[in-house]
Amino acid sequence: MTLLGLKLRQTQQLNQRLQQSLRILQMSGIELEREVEDWLQDNPLLERPETDEFADAEFNHGTTMPRSNHLGGDDAEDAWLNIAKEEDFNQYLHAQVCEHPLSDKEAAYVHILIDFLDDQGYFTDSIQDVIDNTPLEWMLDEDELQNALDLLQTFDPPGVAAADLTESLMLQLMRLPASPARQAAAHLIQSSLHDLGKNRKQNIIRFRKLFPEIDSETIEAALDIIATLNPYPAYGFASSEPTAYIQPDVWVKEGKDGWKVIGNEAAWPKLQLNREYCELMKSAEDGAPEWKEKINEAKQRIDSLELRKSTVIRLAEYIVKNQEDFFIFGEIGLAPMLMKDAAAELGLAESTISRAANQKYLSCPRGLFALRYFFTQAVNSEGDKEGLSQGAIKAVLGQIIENEDSSKPHSDETLVRLLKQQGIDIARRTVAKYRESLDVPPAHKRKLTE
């Protein structure tokens, strides 16, 4: 009976330890930091190891929230007063409604649409999304909402409520006086926005080759106009919500032997046992049972942090090994990859892989990506038994659209045919879905109007 009780107790402890490890693995970096702070308050046997603050700051430069300046007295009061006076983007737009000659219904519809704009000032939802996400009793009309969207796009700042960057820049251009330079700028934006680089001289040479019918002076003037445009209409306004800072859990860097995963130490909370308290417990002949529980608890929590770190790094290494083409060629190189395959190779449960990928981020030369971004199912395509990932197909689709003649943009049916020529055989409705996910409007809205 004693042996049975011991086994039951051991099983219970193992289950509790496993549950805690899985819960910690599921957490985001911010959630974990809060959890660790609670642990430190609850268990005096735990402490943070001493670290080189300056080394951490240097390693973490550009990825974490900067340390705030310490303000006191009148300085602090003045700083908060300045923040309180800042007007956020939505407030600025709502205040303009009464400045425009709108009917009561038009004004109401514009107010609704303003609240659907994203943080950059874009309207990335569809009209149907607005209808689906507002109370049914409002009985919103699709045509009237579209009219309200057109009206909102006449508000300041120029480019507001556009579907994407291209439309925003075009809306800004249309407010400028007509000229050959403006017409050339519109042509560059519609057809070759992705070719714009930071080097002005290289841009001029590139566009002279692409558009030999436009003289050099007009190209230079067009580039000057584009440089004055604002890519983000909401830029410069206070945010209605605090900015969320995402810290990568791992770095992916290219070395002599290929791509390598490096853990971002600043993203992993570190704990250790307090030696002084532990020595006092050892010196005592009969330690109190509650203190023995505390030391076991402290060790389990330290172990759970280490397990979380090693699991995420192993998963990142699996991603890098199986998605090497992505790091070389970009999204077009993204291969189909399933969590169940990762689980099989790493010897873990699929649910564990899902937890390890949850709200974890990878930073590489191409940017910051959620680990879940790399898991995508294959889309069966002609001539490719293994299929292509949705991300790769979207990248090909995006390239085709970017290179189209802006005066005769491709319809979805034409896009189906052009994709098929590249061995990608998918239905028209799938093309339409992928196009919409890329924030690309239908052909009739992409057509260049002078």
Side-chain angles (χ1 to χ4, degrees):
M1 194 66 181
T2 304
L3 181 60
L4 179 60
L6 179 62
K7 287 183 178 180
L8 286 172
R9 198 178 307 117
Q10 287 177 336
T11 302
Q12 186 178 28
Q13 289 176 349
L14 285 172
N15 285 339
Q16 290 174 349
R17 186 177 302 178
L18 177 62
Q19 289 172 5
Q20 176 178 270
S21 296
L22 292 175
R23 189 171 64 85
I24 297 306
L25 181 61
Q26 173 84 11
M27 289 180 177
S28 67
I30 294 175
E31 291 170 338
L32 181 62
E33 191 62 42
R34 292 171 183 163
E35 182 79 6
V36 168
E37 284 298 326
D38 290 341
W39 291 353
L40 290 168
Q41 294 293 326
D42 179 63
N43 194 330
L45 295 177
L46 285 172
E47 66 177 9
R48 293 185 187 271
E50 293 182 3
T51 58
D52 186 344
E53 183 176 347
F54 295 101
D56 285 348
E58 181 179 358
F59 178 80
N60 219 19
H61 178 67
T63 60
T64 58
M65 183 166 56
R67 297 180 185 276
S68 57
N69 294 322
H70 294 287
L71 297 175
D74 294 337
D75 289 338
E77 186 176 351
D78 290 343
W80 285 112
L81 284 173
N82 289 336
I83 292 173
K85 290 177 182 177
E86 291 183 353
E87 186 175 32
D88 74 40
F89 185 64
N90 280 25
Q91 289 172 349
Y92 178 68
L93 293 173
H94 282 302
Q96 288 183 60
V97 173
C98 62
E99 300 172 6
H100 289 257
L102 308 178
S103 68
D104 290 344
K105 178 173 278 191
E106 286 173 339
Y109 274 47
V110 170
H111 278 303
I112 292 169
L113 289 174
I114 289 172
D115 291 331
F116 276 85
L117 300 182
D118 67 14
D119 292 338
Q120 296 176 338
Y122 291 148
F123 178 72
T124 56
D125 294 305
S126 67
I127 295 297
Q128 189 59 49
D129 288 333
V130 176
I131 294 173
D132 292 342
N133 289 279
T134 49
L136 188 62
E137 57 268 22
W138 288 8
M139 300 180 65
L140 299 181
D141 179 80
E142 187 172 347
D143 292 334
E144 290 178 338
L145 270 175
Q146 182 60 57
N147 177 61
L149 180 60
D150 295 337
L151 292 169
L152 178 55
Q153 290 178 348
T154 67
F155 281 32
D156 285 327
V160 66
D164 53 27
L165 174 60
T166 298
E167 186 181 11
S168 180
L169 298 180
M170 290 298 297
L171 287 172
Q172 294 174 54
L173 275 183
M174 293 306 105
R175 298 199 190 186
L176 301 178
S179 67
R182 191 194 80 167
Q183 183 177 340
H187 194 58
L188 296 182
I189 289 170
Q190 286 276 29
S191 62
S192 304
L193 186 60
H194 64 286
D195 289 323
L196 276 173
K198 295 181 179 179
N199 188 299
R200 176 181 172 81
K201 187 176 180 180
Q202 290 180 358
N203 282 333
I204 294 171
I205 295 172
R206 183 182 299 115
F207 289 121
R208 284 182 63 184
K209 291 180 180 178
L210 288 173
F211 308 105
E213 71 279 6
I214 306 177
D215 61 75
S216 299
E217 290 183 2
T218 303
I219 287 178
E220 291 186 43
L223 291 173
D224 289 338
I225 290 174
I226 293 173
T228 65
L229 304 180
N230 182 7
Y232 306 115
Y235 179 76
F237 288 84
S239 174
S240 58
E241 296 181 359
T243 304
Y245 290 83
I246 295 177
Q247 184 167 233
D249 297 270
V250 296
W251 305 85
V252 175
K253 299 182 179 180
E254 187 176 16
K256 295 180 180 179
D257 300 325
W259 296 91
K260 184 179 180 182
V261 174
I262 303 169
N264 180 6
E265 293 300 320
W268 309 104
K270 301 177 185 66
L271 292 179
Q272 65 183 20
L273 293 175
N274 184 302
R275 293 182 181 179
E276 183 178 353
Y277 284 147
C278 290
E279 290 297 327
L280 287 174
M281 287 183 59
K282 287 181 181 178
S283 62
E285 293 184 2
D286 296 315
E290 58 269 21
W291 282 106
K292 290 183 179 180
E293 289 181 10
K294 285 290 184 184
I295 195 168
N296 287 332
E297 177 190 81
K299 289 178 179 178
Q300 288 177 16
R301 288 175 171 174
I302 292 172
D303 289 344
S304 67
L305 291 179
E306 288 299 318
L307 182 61
R308 179 184 187 273
K309 178 180 178 180
S310 64
T311 304
V312 173
I313 289 179
R314 286 180 66 202
L315 179 58
E317 289 172 342
Y318 175 87
I319 289 171
V320 170
K321 184 180 78 170
N322 288 274
Q323 298 287 9
E324 184 176 2
D325 284 348
F326 167 84
F327 298 101
I328 300 172
F329 303 110
E331 190 176 21
I332 200 168
L334 199 61
M337 192 172 73
L338 301 176
M339 286 193 178
K340 67 177 182 180
D341 296 331
E345 182 164 329
L346 298 179
L348 299 169
E350 188 174 345
S351 60
T352 301
I353 296 296
S354 179
R355 288 185 173 93
N358 180 60
Q359 300 185 75
K360 313 298 189 304
Y361 295 88
L362 172 157
S363 179
C364 67
R366 295 194 172 274
L368 185 69
F369 298 88
L371 296 191
R372 285 188 179 276
Y373 167 82
F374 297 94
F375 290 94
T376 176
Q377 291 189 352
V379 177
N380 292 328
S381 302
E382 184 181 323
D384 192 342
K385 293 181 179 179
E386 295 183 357
L388 295 172
S389 72
Q390 292 182 12
I393 293 176
K394 288 179 183 179
V396 175
L397 180 62
Q399 287 184 354
I400 292 173
I401 294 173
E402 285 173 357
N403 294 322
E404 69 186 1
D405 182 349
S406 55
S407 63
K408 296 180 181 179
H410 301 310
S411 65
D412 289 344
E413 290 81 1
T414 304
L415 292 173
V416 170
R417 178 172 54 79
L418 293 173
L419 285 171
K420 194 169 185 178
Q421 289 175 2
Q422 299 195 32
I424 302 173
D425 189 7
I426 57 177
R428 188 196 63 79
R429 62 179 179 274
T430 305
V431 168
K433 182 178 73 172
Y434 289 175
R435 173 179 55 72
E436 290 171 0
S437 72
L438 294 170
D439 291 330
V440 174
H444 71 277
K445 289 190 176 182
R446 303 201 304 274
K447 188 173 182 179
L448 177 63
T449 55
E450 297 183 2

